[in-house]
């Protein structure tokens, strides 16, 4: 099945949403994204890591090295307070956008 | 907050770049391992799983580059690279580089000179109190146009006719001070008695010239500069009233000019203009008086 392209500007929102539940490493985020989207979305590492690094630099995420369940080291990202605020704002905004779009589509 | 984070990350980039690179490498490596482990669970062989995981990661260098270029400090590197590139290009074409440098140097120099002149002539106020009330008189005839200088008879006439102006004047009068101390050629001025009060500045010590000093045959008196006072009299107050030999004539020091005093250039000694007995003092065509300085 052909995967969907991730709509522009929504990757950050999805990353923040996933990490709001629990801290996770990059691979975990990509797996969780695939699962949660019923395999419709598959994020390319070439897009995921730049987003993670950018969010970390902006202070929305904090990365720290920890051991995985398989005793490997991986960089886990968790939401900061500022990241949580951004998530709430973006979620609110996204709900309005998607409500507006479906209203238009159904009204047409 | 966000701005602070960005500044911090720029500093981080500058000082911990190697560690950041290492972190990124480790992180991508961990990604491959975890992806491979999942694929082994899906019954692939270890080698096959790793191959597939690496494929899934895609172009590592491109990913790294995209991460790096997203870093706020990255533009510093780009600037550095641009500068290096620029220097290499210049080195390859030295003639062009030399010409460009020369053009830049000349234009910067020209602009600086222009600004210096405009600043000192037009922008910066004169270093005297109430400079807006000061001006200089110039003569002019229909035949010859405007003169920068002024003749003594003309000056006397202007003084005679003027009701509201205080008029001072000075002319160049350099010469040799031969005592006290070693002979030395100095910049001098012959000034009218009013000049200091017209300019609105006091002498540092002693007195300015009085109208009585400013006529032929009066006792020869001189005002010396701060520099001459320091060099020849050691800055002693007793210098007032001391003798001084200037151009072979004995003078008495009556005043010390304030430090930094100048009249269109350095001035080491002032003598009274009115004591000048040269014939040109009576010649209306001899416009040797450099400035008729007025205050209203």
């Amino acid at each position: 099945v052909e995967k969907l392209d991730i709509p522009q500007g929504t990757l950050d929102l999805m990353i923040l949403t996933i990490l709001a539940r629990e801290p996770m490493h990059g691979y975990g985020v990509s797996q969780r994204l695939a699962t949660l989207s019923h395999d419709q979305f598959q994020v390319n590492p070439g897009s995921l890591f730049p987003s993670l690094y950018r969010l970390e630099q902006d202070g929305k995420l904090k990365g720290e090295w920890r051991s995985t369940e398989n005793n490997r080291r991986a960089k886990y990202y968790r939401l900061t307070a500022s990241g949580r605020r951004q998530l709430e704002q973006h979620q609110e905004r996204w709900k309005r956008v998607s409500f507006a779009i479906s209203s238009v589509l159904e009204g047409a | 907050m966000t701005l602070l984070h960005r500044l911090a990350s720029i500093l981080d980039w500058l000082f911990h770049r190697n560690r950041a690179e290492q972190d990124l490498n480790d992180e991508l490596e961990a990604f491959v391992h975890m992806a491979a482990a999942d694929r082994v669970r899906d019954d692939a062989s270890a080698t096959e799983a790793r191959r597939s995981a690496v494929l899934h990661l895609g172009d590592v260098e491109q990913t790294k580059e995209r991460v790096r270029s997203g870093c706020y400090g990255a533009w510093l590197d780009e600037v550095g690279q641009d500068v290096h590139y620029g220097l290499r290009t210049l080195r390859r074409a030295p003639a062009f580089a030399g010409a460009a440098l020369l053009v830049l140097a000349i234009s910067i120099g020209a602009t600086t000179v222009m600004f210096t002149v405009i600043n000192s002539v037009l922008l910066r106020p004169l270093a005297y109190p109430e400079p807006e009330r000061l001006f200089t008189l110039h003569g002019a005839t229909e035949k010859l146009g405007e003169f920068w200088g002024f003749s003594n008879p003309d000056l006397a006439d202007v003084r005679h006719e003027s009701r509201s102006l205080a008029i001072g004047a000075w002319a160049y009068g350099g010469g040799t001070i031969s005592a006290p101390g070693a002979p030395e050629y100095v910049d001098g001025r012959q000034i009218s008695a009013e000049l200091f009060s017209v300019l609105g500045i006091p002498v540092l010590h002693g007195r300015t010239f009085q109208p009585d000093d400013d006529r032929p045959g009066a006792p020869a008196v001189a005002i010396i500069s701060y520099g001459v006072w320091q060099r020849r009299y050691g800055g002693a107050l007793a210098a007032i009233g001391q003798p001084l030999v200037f151009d072979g004539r004995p003078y008495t020091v009556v005043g010390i000019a304030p430090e930094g005093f100048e009249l269109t250039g350095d001035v080491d000694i002032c003598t009274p203009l009115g004591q000048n007995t040269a014939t040109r003092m009576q010649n209306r065509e001899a416009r040797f008086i450099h400035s008729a300085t007025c205050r209203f």
Side-chain angles (χ1 to χ4, degrees):
Chain A
V1 188
E2 204 188 331
K3 309 274 186 194
L4 289 174
D5 286 334
I6 293 176
Q8 199 147 29
T10 60
L11 181 58
D12 283 5
L13 174 60
M14 291 191 281
I15 290 173
L16 291 172
T17 307
I18 289 168
L19 292 174
R21 198 180 307 171
E22 58 176 326
M24 201 172 282
H25 43 67
Y27 181 70
V29 172
S30 76
Q31 292 301 98
R32 185 61 62 84
L33 186 58
T35 314
L36 288 175
S37 68
H38 306 289
D39 276 328
Q40 295 297 309
F41 290 148
Q42 186 176 35
V43 66
N44 173 359
S47 307
L48 176 68
F49 284 105
S51 280
L52 286 173
Y53 271 70
R54 173 59 69 106
L55 286 166
E56 185 183 12
Q57 282 191 69
D58 283 342
K60 310 299 176 195
L61 299 181
K62 177 118 186 67
E64 52 199 9
W65 289 88
R66 281 199 234 155
S67 317
T68 66
E69 56 269 38
N70 303 325
N71 271 334
R72 298 202 62 85
R73 262 163 42 83
K75 193 175 174 188
Y76 280 73
Y77 294 91
R78 65 176 171 78
L79 238 60
T80 62
S82 153
R84 203 164 288 279
R85 274 197 301 280
Q86 169 150 336
L87 172 60
E88 281 158 16
Q89 283 165 12
H90 283 201
Q91 271 176 339
E92 186 57 39
R93 187 165 182 76
W94 179 252
K95 278 177 194 154
R96 285 174 56 196
V97 168
S98 66
F99 176 74
I101 290 177
S102 22
S103 303
V104 169
L105 295 183
E106 283 157 24
Chain B
M1 192 64 185
T2 303
L3 188 65
L4 278 180
H5 275 294
R6 290 185 184 182
L7 282 176
S9 65
I10 289 177
L11 291 179
D12 215 44
W13 175 268
L14 280 176
F15 297 112
H16 307 293
R17 175 136 36 125
N18 291 338
R19 206 199 63 204
E21 278 292 298
Q22 191 57 49
D23 269 9
L24 183 54
N25 279 334
D26 289 351
E27 191 169 7
L28 294 179
E29 182 59 28
F31 184 94
V32 169
H33 271 286
M34 288 185 278
D38 273 1
R39 281 163 173 72
V40 169
R41 248 173 266 151
D42 296 344
D43 291 337
S45 78
T47 339
E48 188 56 30
R50 176 154 180 99
R51 208 184 70 85
S52 156
V54 169
L55 272 179
H56 176 55
L57 180 60
D59 187 334
V60 181
E61 280 312 313
Q62 201 188 341
T63 302
K64 286 192 203 168
E65 193 49 48
R66 289 183 63 181
V67 169
R68 278 186 219 120
S69 68
C71 289
Y72 291 115
W75 60 270
L76 286 173
D77 279 6
E78 279 165 34
V79 169
Q81 279 163 12
D82 286 351
V83 169
H84 271 291
Y85 177 73
L87 288 178
R88 272 206 312 276
T89 313
L90 288 179
R91 208 177 303 140
R92 263 206 306 276
F96 171 77
L101 272 179
L102 196 67
V103 168
L104 278 176
I106 290 174
S107 21
I108 292 172
T111 319
T112 311
V113 166
M114 284 297 288
F115 178 75
T116 310
V117 169
I118 289 173
N119 184 42
S120 56
V121 173
L122 299 178
L123 302 179
R124 212 173 50 195
L126 291 168
Y128 305 110
E130 294 188 276
E132 69 280 1
R133 300 172 71 101
L134 278 176
F135 59 95
T136 60
L137 286 180
H138 292 186
T141 65
E142 277 183 19
K143 204 172 126 202
L144 296 173
E146 190 174 340
F147 305 114
W148 285 84
F150 227 77
S151 73
N152 193 44
D154 282 348
L155 183 69
D157 287 352
V158 170
R159 281 211 171 104
H160 187 69
E161 301 287 331
S162 160
R163 306 253 179 288
S164 50
L165 294 178
I167 302 171
W170 60 265
Y172 284 101
T176 303
I177 297 180
S178 47
E184 173 192 17
Y185 182 86
V186 296
D187 295 308
R189 301 286 187 276
Q190 297 177 6
I191 68 173
S192 74
E194 306 85 354
L195 188 68
F196 272 88
S197 69
V198 166
L199 292 176
I201 53 174
V203 285
L204 187 63
H205 295 297
R207 61 173 181 87
T208 57
F209 295 149
Q210 303 302 310
D212 261 2
D213 300 317
D214 204 13
R215 56 182 172 76
V221 289
I223 296 174
I224 56 174
S225 71
Y226 186 85
V228 169
W229 182 46
Q230 293 293 325
R231 288 199 301 276
R232 292 182 178 266
Y233 298 93
L237 279 179
I240 307 292
Q242 292 294 305
L244 172 142
V245 179
F246 177 58
D247 260 5
R249 286 186 64 199
Y251 284 82
T252 304
V253 175
V254 294
I256 316 291
E259 201 173 354
F261 175 69
E262 9 178 284
L263 291 168
T264 321
D266 292 336
V267 180
D268 289 314
I269 184 167
C270 296
T271 56
L273 178 63
Q275 292 187 14
N276 188 336
T277 51
T279 50
R280 62 180 184 173
M281 287 291 277
Q282 311 311 324
N283 183 350
R284 194 172 288 280
E285 303 305 315
R287 300 181 176 85
F288 69 96
I289 294 177
H290 187 81
S291 174
T293 308
C294 308
R295 181 181 284 274
F296 63 89

